[in-house]
Amino acid sequence: MTEPRLQAVGFSEPGGMAASFQHVRVGTLPVEEVVARLKEKIIAADLWVLHEIDPQMLLHRGGYDIGPARQILFFHPRLMSRLLAADSAALLEAPLKFAVIGFPEGRTELRWLDPARAFARYGSPALTALGEELAGNFEAIVGGLGF
């Protein structure tokens, strides 16, 4: 039995508004190398890697073919306890996530949402401080990637 033909889906360029709430770094390391380095740096920052999502594999199972893409979810119980004590509605903001996207021409994008901006929306000084702390964690993790 032959495998059904997959529908190819290309990655689009990001919309103009993404820069208002996302951060991005662009490099040429392969997606798998970026993911491995990210996991190491997340753990070194005393955070927990909770899950790795492989959209490429999931879409393939659904009949679509995309380039390499991964999502790395991470957080820590000490952060969750602070978040919940400040405003339980902010539970939707956790876990934090990196997205790694490999484009056909060899460019790799590393993206993440700005936690300082996201947490400040709640109007809680404690969440604003946590968001700023987490933004610093993202920068430290990414800064140590060599990406």
Side-chain angles (χ1 to χ4, degrees):
M1 177 176 209
T2 50
E3 188 173 318
R5 187 175 178 99
L6 299 176
Q7 180 179 338
V9 178
F11 294 126
S12 69
E13 291 300 320
M17 290 304 295
S20 70
F21 56 89
Q22 288 185 9
H23 295 279
V24 65
R25 297 292 187 276
V26 179
T28 56
L29 291 173
V31 167
E32 293 301 331
E33 178 68 21
V34 175
V35 167
R37 290 182 185 194
L38 271 177
K39 288 178 176 179
E40 289 174 6
K41 295 300 179 184
I42 290 167
I43 292 166
D46 195 26
L47 298 168
W48 293 4
V49 175
L50 303 175
H51 193 62
E52 178 180 339
I53 300 171
D54 183 346
Q56 185 179 31
M57 180 270 301
L58 294 171
L59 269 73
H60 187 270
R61 283 188 3 204
Y64 298 92
D65 184 36
I66 65 168
R70 300 293 183 276
Q71 294 172 305
I72 307 301
L73 284 63
F74 65 101
F75 216 63
H76 195 281
R78 73 175 177 280
L79 300 172
M80 184 63 78
S81 66
R82 290 171 55 194
L83 181 149
L84 293 172
D87 188 337
S88 60
L91 178 61
L92 287 170
E93 305 299 337
L96 300 174
K97 173 172 46 176
F98 280 108
V100 185
I101 304 167
F103 287 83
E105 72 276 4
R107 179 178 92 229
T108 301
E109 288 186 355
L110 173 62
R111 293 187 164 274
W112 66 97
L113 296 172
D114 183 350
R117 185 180 201 110
F119 283 52
R121 299 181 298 193
Y122 292 88
S124 161
L127 278 180
T128 297
L130 180 58
E132 291 171 0
E133 179 183 327
L134 294 171
N137 287 344
F138 270 103
E139 290 298 331
I141 290 166
V142 171
L145 284 179
F147 183 73

